[in-house]
Amino acid sequence: AQSVTQLDSQVPVFEEAPVELRCNYSSSVSVYLFWYVQYPNQGLQLLLKYLSGSTLVKGINGFEAEFNKSQTSFHLRKPSVHISDTAEYFCAVSGNTGGFKTIFGAGTRLFVKA
Amino acid sequence: DTAVSQTPKYLVTQMGNDKSIKCEQNLGHDTMYWYKQDSKKFLKIMFSYNNKELIINETVPNRFSPKSPDKAHLNLHINSLELGDSAVYFCASSQDVNPGYEQYFGPGTRLTVT
């Protein structure tokens, strides 16, 4: 069975500081990994995804994530955050087992302070 | 043009009532989903349809019944509403069941049962 753990429920950070949101997964087979962002009162939208190939994945809004198979991690980073990055961030995993399901982590609330 | 739309956006109703939420996608996708997001932002899959056929049916009370009249629409009917049904319900779609495809989410329907 697949599972996802987001290690921080809340991450406060000052504007223009770097940020890392941590995600660990478990799976017995090859996986696909995703980061989604949810702005207040909106649905989720894709930030980036890892399917295969280069372990460093670049997404929208200056975010990037690194797939680390040995540590089963897929941490999300941004070198300099803006107030507008304040949102809930979800890590998700899917694969060829698990019956077509995508498993979402519990979310990390990123709060950017001026 | 909204890719995945849901109606209504807000739904306030009393215990015991029956209500429906409608979802439509104009992306030409084959697969659609219903998720429930609780007050702690935890996202749980409820149902998934692929080309009008049910492929995921999680442990959901049978008061919840999805219906897919065609592959662009997936509706959710809820009978005998209970207080615990209060949540935000998201519809989503993906190109098909391939786990590497990302999901596109609607704006959500906030259901409040009083």
Side-chain angles (χ1 to χ4, degrees):
Chain A
Q2 296 161 344
S3 67
V4 178
T5 303
Q6 291 186 241
L7 295 151
D8 307 292
S9 59
Q10 293 186 76
V11 174
V13 63
F14 284 103
E15 194 174 20
E16 298 183 8
V19 71
E20 179 178 79
L21 306 183
R22 297 179 295 165
C23 173
N24 283 97
Y25 69 93
S26 67
S27 176
S28 57
V29 296
S30 296
V31 296
Y32 305 111
L33 293 155
F34 305 80
W35 275 99
Y36 288 85
V37 60
Q38 183 180 26
Y39 298 105
N41 298 312
Q42 294 185 29
L44 283 71
Q45 62 186 86
L46 182 73
L47 271 180
L48 50 79
K49 65 181 180 182
Y50 172 78
L51 302 182
S52 65
S54 172
T55 57
L56 184 63
V57 181
K58 293 193 184 296
I60 61 170
N61 301 340
F63 284 93
E64 63 181 32
E66 183 143 26
F67 171 62
N68 188 320
K69 188 174 181 179
S70 62
Q71 297 188 6
T72 61
S73 68
F74 190 55
H75 300 334
L76 181 71
R77 293 192 288 261
K78 185 169 182 177
S80 174
V81 294
H82 304 288
I83 298 285
S84 58
D85 291 324
T86 294
E88 194 85 21
Y89 291 79
F90 292 91
C91 182
V93 62
S94 66
N96 289 316
T97 62
F100 309 115
K101 278 187 283 188
T102 297
I103 307 299
F104 287 83
T108 296
R109 170 90 174 139
L110 175 64
F111 179 59
V112 182
K113 301 178 282 187
Chain B
D1 270 352
T2 304
V4 182
S5 58
Q6 294 178 231
T7 53
K9 190 163 174 61
Y10 299 96
L11 190 50
V12 181
T13 188
Q14 291 184 327
M15 283 174 54
N17 285 347
D18 303 340
K19 290 293 178 187
S20 291
I21 307 171
K22 294 182 185 297
C23 177
E24 177 181 2
Q25 55 96 2
N26 63 7
L27 297 166
H29 288 170
D30 285 347
T31 308
M32 295 184 74
Y33 310 82
W34 277 113
Y35 286 90
K36 179 180 180 181
Q37 187 175 49
D38 63 23
S39 58
K40 295 184 179 176
K41 301 289 187 182
F42 185 70
L43 202 63
K44 181 175 164 51
I45 182 75
M46 299 173 70
F47 302 103
S48 178
Y49 274 72
N50 185 60
N51 270 323
K52 303 194 296 175
E53 298 221 4
L54 183 66
I55 58 170
I56 295 175
N57 186 354
E58 287 296 279
T59 309
V60 175
N62 57 15
R63 299 181 294 104
F64 290 79
S65 52
K67 277 197 173 56
S68 181
D70 55 62
K71 73 174 193 177
H73 295 85
L74 180 61
N75 304 323
L76 184 65
H77 187 75
I78 316 169
N79 288 325
S80 303
L81 278 153
E82 300 177 358
L83 292 176
D85 298 331
S86 294
V88 181
Y89 291 83
F90 286 101
C91 177
S93 72
S94 63
Q95 188 164 332
D96 63 36
V97 297
N98 185 319
Y101 287 122
E102 65 266 31
Q103 294 179 24
Y104 293 76
F105 283 78
T109 295
R110 184 175 294 276
L111 172 64
T112 304
V113 183
T114 62

